[in-house]
Amino acid sequence: MTDVIVVGGGVVGASATYQLARNGLRVTLIDQTDAGQATAAGAGIISPGTGFEPGSAAYTLARKALDYYPALLGLLADDGETQTGYETVGALFIATNDEEERRLPAVLRSVEAGRAAGFKNIGEVSRLNASEARKLFPPLADIREAIYLPEAARVDGRLLRDALQRAAQRRGASMLHGTASLIRRDDRVVGVRVGERNIPADAVLLAAGAWSNILCEPLDINVPVSPQRGQILHLTMPKANTSRWPIVLGFSAHYILAFPENRIVAGATRESGAGYDPRITMGGVHEIVSEALRVAPGLANGTLHELRVGLRPLSSDGLPILGRIPGVQNVYIATGHGASGLQLGPYSGAMVADLLLGKAVSAEMRVFAPDRF
């Protein structure tokens, strides 16, 4: 096998392309540049936190994904790519009222169990009072208590995506921009059409996020992935150096994190059923601003810089879809990561690339195979 086409230019597809190119295959990456690409909007929290149930399939995948990040960053650095926005900044998991404070010990036990199970990006966990937490994140409200995870990290999705794409091209991969459609002959996909151009392929890897199901419709194959809209607010903080401020998490789906030199990201809505609609809405902005100022009223003086919208690929059972698509011999897929794309996506893309290469993948990853549906 020498000619592979990867459809989808986000972090999952770029990671797969990089892995294939590193293994000497001729690869073409097709970036559909769809409005609402999840990678371009995502916040990039790289920490297990409390988002994965211990013992679950997603828990295992998250552990492997966190293990993979340092290796990937090392490979990219060897290929001259060091600008990924990845940095260990720590995270605060906060309790803002009596009820949340009562739940905090259970969170602490879960996080400590993850650390004992070998999860990276946690570190030596500690409990902080409001004053101690505010020293780390000055705009924070007068919270009840916080759990501090000193080794949590964050990444800039756009920078990581671009670094992967450049490194893959340096390794010989080609890149096209445009809308792709699959060309099927009997039980194989023999190529991909982009505009007026037909590109032959020995194998195809679909990493088109929320658009993966649309790509598979001509194959009479249903991939149960739908878009979940996430609206995310970007602020700049006058006269503040936010580079080392930790991530702020809590009992809601919302979060706050900081990037150099004075940028704050607050998000995010989780709007299932919004369809392929990448609009910014009044309701979404109100939700984000209200929650951000409730948790960190010191952000009120921030300057509104940008609003981003990502259409997350959410599978029907909430788990990623990784592996060869049944019914066709040479089509693979990596999608369905929901809100965890930047945390799980680089490893997922590389893992499916390894499947395509015929390399052994751990048996416990079988639970994510497309044929489970």
Side-chain angles (χ1 to χ4, degrees), residues 18 26 50 86 142 158 193 278-279 338 344 358 365:
Y18 181 51
R26 292 198 301 266
T50 59
Y86 186 99
D142 188 19
R158 295 183 180 188
R193 182 176 296 110
R279 288 183 305 121
L344 305 178
M365 295 295 100

Side-chain angles (χ1 to χ4, degrees), residues 198-275:
N198 291 345
I199 308 167
D202 296 312
V204 176
L205 197 163
L206 305 178
W211 292 266
S212 298
N213 192 34
I214 294 173
L215 272 168
C216 289
E217 285 176 353
L219 305 179
D220 294 323
I221 293 169
N222 177 46
V223 177
V225 169
S226 58
Q228 181 195 67
R229 184 166 62 194
Q231 301 185 52
I232 303 173
L233 188 69
H234 289 241
L235 309 171
T236 56
M237 294 296 294
K239 301 179 182 178
N241 186 343
T242 64
S243 301
R244 301 298 306 166
W245 288 6
I247 304 158
V248 178
L249 306 168
F251 288 96
S252 76
H254 291 264
Y255 53 78
I256 303 171
L257 68 163
F259 288 88
E261 292 175 349
N262 61 351
R263 182 160 63 101
I264 295 290
V265 179
T269 64
R270 298 196 180 197
E271 303 169 67
S272 298

Side-chain angles (χ1 to χ4, degrees), residues 328-347:
V328 284
Q329 291 188 16
N330 62 333
V331 179
Y332 297 76
I333 192 165
T335 188
H337 296 88
S340 300
L342 286 174
Q343 181 161 261
L344 305 178
Y347 175 71

